[in-house]
Amino acid sequence: MGLDWSSPEEREPLLPQPPPAFASPAPYHQHAQLRRPAAAGASRVLPRGRALPPAGPPRVAPGPGRVYGRRWLVLLLFSLLSFVQGLVWNTWGPIQSSARQAFDFSSMDIALLVFWGPIGFVPCFAFMWLMDKKGLRVTVLLTSSLMVLGAGLRCVPVTDQTTRKWLIHGGQLLNGLAGPTVTSAAPFLSTTWFSPDERATATAIASLISYLGGACAFLVGPLVVPGPNGSSTLPLSSGSSPEYIKDRIEAVLYAEFGIVALIFSAALAYFPSRPPFPPSVAAASQRLSYRRSFCQLYSNPRFLMIALAYAIPLGVFSGWSGVLDWILTPAHVSQVDAGWIGFWSIVGGCVFGIALARFADFIRGMLKLILILLLSGATLAAIWFTLTCVTTVIHLPLTTATLYTSCILLGVFLNSSVPIFFELFVETVYPVPEGITCGVVTFLSNIFMGVLLFFLTFYHEEFSWFNWCLPGSCLLSLLFILCFRESYDRLYLDVVVSV
């Protein structure tokens, strides 16, 4: 968001007094002695349940922020961009058996195609700087142009199989470079455009739509592309030819390129960096510089604790989802069934996450409790799935119903925690800009995802160790959250200072 997000003329009507060099407000729990205007004689209950005494001198109430109807159009364009980025990233995992036959991909190729996603986060600090200094429009246009180029490379019609393979890998890498923006800019967008009682909802929509794109890949791929064993909704007679399988995969690639190009054109036509007037006190406030933000983050043990609580389970789950068809193959699960399991696990998490974020907008100050409940459920679901697959430890029934249920519950609990984590990150380290905060944690998440996929590339014959990573990471995250001391600095600024 940076120091130049809003001009002094825009900040003056919102802030109660012109701030000197803006410093972070004291943590929420340190303001219990602040007074509200003496009027009705009743104490006011703040988000975390602390009542403010009624006595005290009257305060000068700043003017309210202003929201614009166009904020929903901006959210829609960004969400569509996130959706397609997730769709393109997860193109190959659900159809890995078909891709092996059509393009002569090896096991390493399949893992590497998914691996380009976390590799794309290596230059994420450059995207954070661009977002902080130039705003959303420049960052979104650069991101969408990389996606267009990447989707186009995968469609280049060359006859040489080796050349075509490397073009596909290059396209996946360029699409991975768009990841830092679509996965970390959601809280920045919600703070920039939305009022405090809509921020969590907007963050959930913008951040979870990318997962929904990955879920649609589980649906579109197996339904459009026939499996080598004929497992497809297409006629078996046509699905047995390798050339036909290749044609169907290329049809998917062309369709994805067309959608990416259309969204890029829409963003080029209209995607402003910010509204004419800030929507809240926090949005109008000055933020720390790019360099000071990193110093603040890396010297804050509370942030590092919650960052690991997010990065470890989400990184493991993202890598696990990207090769779900591969993992379930030893359990004799077909490509279509694996696609449906992945689809419903992510869709359930997206729907539940948006509903939960809307609920969090009404009961502000309860983010830690929500995360404890979600991570407890994720741990139990991960243990259930792992013990179902590892029959040498305990004899649980391995059926389609148990696989569906355990995977869907795991996806629901973990995916729905993403926007709650993002909001808690921002509250904990405010006034660090949202794009930098969430960029750092998504970078950490992709490090764990990349390390996991790296080992999977070389140890792809045995999957039991991969399945045990799921409950272990969820349990470790739950322990971090239980030890975490929450604070709501941004919420204090919006709710208390505005009184």
Side-chain angles (χ1 to χ4, degrees), residues 243 288 390:
E243 285 301 320
L288 298 180
V390 185

Side-chain angles (χ1 to χ4, degrees), residues 267-317:
L268 187 62
Y270 180 79
F271 195 95
S273 283
R274 59 187 179 91
F277 196 82
S280 64
V281 176
S285 303
Q286 290 178 310
R287 302 301 180 87
L288 298 180
S289 65
Y290 183 77
R291 179 177 299 178
R292 288 187 61 196
S293 295
F294 283 99
C295 296
Q296 179 91 353
L297 292 179
Y298 293 129
S299 62
N300 189 336
R302 293 172 58 243
F303 168 75
L304 297 177
M305 178 186 296
I306 193 175
L308 290 176
Y310 168 86
I312 295 174
L314 268 298
V316 172
F317 180 73

Side-chain angles (χ1 to χ4, degrees), residues 26 66 80 109 130 144 165 180 184 192 196 207 211 214 247 286 294 322 328 338 450-451 459 473 486:
R66 181 177 177 183
L80 290 175
D109 284 318
L130 188 66
S144 56
K165 183 186 298 185
S184 63
T192 304
S207 60
Y211 294 88
D247 289 341
Q286 290 178 310
F294 283 99
L328 294 178
V451 170
Y459 297 97
S473 63
E486 60 186 337

Side-chain angles (χ1 to χ4, degrees), residues 92-105 110 221-246 248-249 325 329 333-336:
W92 303 100
I95 58 171
Q96 55 95 13
S97 299
S98 302
R100 288 169 187 259
Q101 183 170 341
F103 294 99
D104 196 25
F105 283 157
I110 297 297
L223 290 180
V224 175
V225 180
N229 57 354
S231 59
S232 173
T233 56
L234 298 171
L236 294 179
S237 59
S238 62
S240 59
S241 169
E243 285 301 320
Y244 182 78
I245 293 176
K246 184 177 180 180
R248 301 303 298 180
I249 294 177
D325 179 26
T329 298
V333 177
S334 68
Q335 183 171 281
V336 174

Side-chain angles (χ1 to χ4, degrees), residues 471-486:
S473 63
C474 293
L475 181 59
L476 182 60
S477 175
L478 179 59
L479 294 177
F480 278 134
I481 293 297
L482 288 173
C483 299
F484 175 74
R485 180 177 58 85
E486 60 186 337

